[in-house]
Amino acid sequence: MLIVTVGSEQHLDTPDELNRTRTGYRKGMTDRELYQAARGSWVLGEKADGEHFALVAHRGAVLLAIEIHRLVETAPGRRAIEGSILLPGDEVHDAYVGKPVPVESYGNPVRYFDAPVGTKPCRCGCGTSLRSGKFVAGHDAIALHERVRRIGSVAQFIDWFDSMVEPFERSARRQRSDGPDTL
Ligand SMILES: [Zn+2]
């Protein structure tokens, strides 16, 4: 699990890479406002890509829990979380929100810890629970080949795949050539 620590609210003279004019925590802000204030931009290493959940902390307390959908680049070397805010009743929310931060910060605004809650099933469908990552090692290949098998041979799978993505690629090309940014 990822933990990001935010300071107190600061006003910015110019909008930052997330188009914000203020960041950090202010007493009374809504969960949505805190999510916007805390989702980036962070220096997130490869380890972050396997994380399912993020906690937002301020002054030693967890204020918000986020289910991570993806990490998006916001500036060179910096990324932001895109996800959904967890509500009461969710096991990760209930285990951490409103409680002391589960690990010491040592001054680093981004930390990781092995949480006993917040697992997700392996995407291959085998039923194994994972604390991070989408697949048990090797199960990504199993999941892929199971789909190939459902179509037929590898050659048939490629034909099918190409026929499925071709309309999207054609439409993307058309949008690009219609766009105002075309060189
Ligand atoms: Zn699996």
Side-chain angles (χ1 to χ4, degrees):
M1 199 170 290
L2 192 60
I3 306 180
V4 296
T5 301
V6 294
S8 297
E9 184 174 78
Q10 289 182 357
H11 290 263
L12 309 172
D13 292 335
T14 53
D16 70 3
E17 62 270 25
L18 288 171
N19 208 24
R20 299 175 301 197
T21 51
R22 55 192 193 185
T23 64
Y25 173 72
R26 161 178 45 87
K27 199 169 171 4
M29 75 197 313
T30 65
D31 284 356
R32 196 77 217 161
E33 289 172 325
L34 180 56
Y35 167 82
Q36 287 299 345
R39 70 186 198 87
S41 295
W42 304 106
V43 177
L44 298 172
E46 255 177 56
K47 189 171 163 61
D49 293 292
E51 298 296 331
H52 301 146
F53 299 96
L55 304 178
V56 176
H58 175 71
R59 291 186 181 230
V62 177
L63 302 179
L64 194 71
I66 300 166
E67 180 173 1
I68 300 171
H69 296 165
R70 65 189 71 81
L71 301 172
V72 293
E73 191 174 357
T74 53
R78 301 185 83 84
R79 294 193 285 173
I81 297 164
E82 280 184 6
S84 46
I85 296 166
L86 297 178
L87 302 172
D90 179 275
E91 105 180 304
V92 172
H93 174 283
D94 292 355
Y96 298 107
V97 174
K99 296 176 185 170
V101 179
V103 287
E104 287 295 324
S105 98
Y106 305 113
N108 191 337
V110 176
R111 285 164 289 153
Y112 301 87
F113 81 115
D114 286 324
V117 298
T119 60
K120 286 201 174 180
C122 176
R123 289 285 308 271
C124 93
C126 68
T128 307
S129 295
L130 298 172
R131 286 186 183 169
S132 64
K134 293 182 170 64
F135 294 97
V136 175
H139 288 203
D140 49 348
I142 293 172
L144 185 59
H145 284 288
E146 198 271 326
R147 281 156 179 78
V148 171
R149 193 186 54 72
R150 271 155 59 185
I151 298 296
S153 66
V154 171
Q156 285 170 321
F157 179 83
I158 289 171
D159 288 342
W160 171 81
F161 179 87
D162 289 350
S163 73
M164 293 305 287
V165 299
E166 210 272 334
F168 290 104
E169 288 175 348
R170 204 185 315 134
S171 131
R173 267 197 306 275
R174 200 163 47 232
Q175 278 174 8
R176 273 201 302 277
S177 61
D178 289 347
D181 300 329
T182 306
L183 291 171

